[in-house]
Amino acid sequence: MWTAKRFRSQAATCATLAKQTHDEESRQRYLRLEQTYLHMAETEDQLVGQRSAFAGASETKPAA
């Protein structure tokens, strides 16, 4: 399962590859991938936060 940490690792890899390539088209592709992975990491963080908040809210509700 992918986590925000894994997405950030992939983003760092893409940034490194972008710096190492001399082909402009490839460099741009790596930079776009880096941004995509960072966006996915942020989304994952938000989802985890929402799940935690939802779980916490359901635990504090009194039983009917």
Side-chain angles (χ1 to χ4, degrees):
M1 178 154 90
W2 284 76
T3 64
K5 183 177 179 179
R6 180 71 175 138
F7 286 134
R8 286 188 179 87
S9 173
Q10 286 296 110
T13 299
C14 289
T16 300
L17 290 170
K19 290 176 187 176
Q20 293 175 349
T21 188
H22 298 287
D23 177 50
E24 185 60 25
E25 186 178 332
S26 295
R27 191 177 76 76
Q28 290 300 318
R29 183 175 42 232
Y30 283 128
L31 292 174
R32 283 192 305 271
L33 279 170
E34 176 192 15
Q35 292 305 308
T36 299
Y37 280 121
L38 290 173
H39 178 73
M40 292 167 71
E42 290 173 18
T43 301
E44 179 67 18
D45 286 340
Q46 291 172 357
L47 289 173
V48 168
Q50 289 173 355
R51 280 183 249 157
S52 296
F54 180 75
S58 65
E59 290 174 4
T60 59
K61 286 186 178 179

